[in-house]
Amino acid sequence: VQLQASGGGLVQAGGSLRLSCVASGKIFTLNAMNWYRQAPGKQRELVARITSGGSTNYGDSVQGRFTISRDDDAKNTVYLQMNSLKPEDTAVYYCNADIDTMDWATTTLERRDDYWGQGTLVTVSS
């Protein structure tokens, strides 16, 4: 399983960006998908989460400005629409997924929540 994130870039304060993360590989079930971010000198923090049923949660600092969504119909993609960006949103953004994979040879289902994308840099200038 691989997660490929894209969409980062440089934007002025008040602007918008949309991040995408595509999950590929031998995916049996795509469970919760999340976006985290890590700013220089800070710990990684959860930005937004979406369950397989579509329920969402957001970090306090992005509530009302960011929207997470997903497209599971053959795309296995999670999006993060970021509006009204602030300089403090500058960070590397990582997607993370909770995925079931099936070993059909042994019919063994394995669930892991530690699949990570490579990160995409978002820079917001003031």
Side-chain angles (χ1 to χ4, degrees):
V1 175
Q2 290 185 331
L3 300 182
Q4 181 69 43
S6 62
L10 174 63
V11 64
Q12 288 188 331
S16 299
L17 282 175
R18 189 174 86 151
L19 306 182
S20 300
C21 177
V22 180
S24 61
K26 297 182 179 180
I27 298 168
F28 186 76
T29 304
L30 197 55
N31 300 308
M33 301 184 79
N34 312 297
W35 285 99
Y36 285 78
R37 68 185 181 187
Q38 187 166 19
K42 295 187 177 181
Q43 289 190 335
R44 191 172 294 190
E45 64 172 348
L46 178 65
V47 175
R49 174 183 176 90
I50 185 166
T51 68
S52 57
S55 297
T56 59
N57 294 97
Y58 296 93
D60 290 341
S61 62
V62 306
Q63 183 77 43
R65 298 187 297 122
F66 290 11
T67 302
I68 189 171
S69 61
R70 61 191 288 166
D71 183 348
D72 291 349
D73 293 334
K75 291 187 177 180
N76 288 341
T77 302
V78 63
Y79 303 98
L80 186 68
Q81 178 66 43
M82 305 185 295
N83 298 328
S84 302
L85 283 161
K86 304 176 181 180
E88 50 264 44
D89 293 319
T90 295
V92 177
Y93 284 71
Y94 298 91
C95 57
N96 161 258
D98 178 344
I99 296 173
D100 294 339
T101 57
M102 173 67 80
D103 182 338
W104 292 104
T106 60
T107 62
T108 301
L109 190 69
E110 179 183 33
R111 181 169 185 168
R112 288 174 48 187
D113 63 359
D114 60 349
Y115 291 102
W116 291 90
Q118 84 285 7
T120 185
L121 177 62
V122 172
T123 304
V124 184
S125 62
S126 57

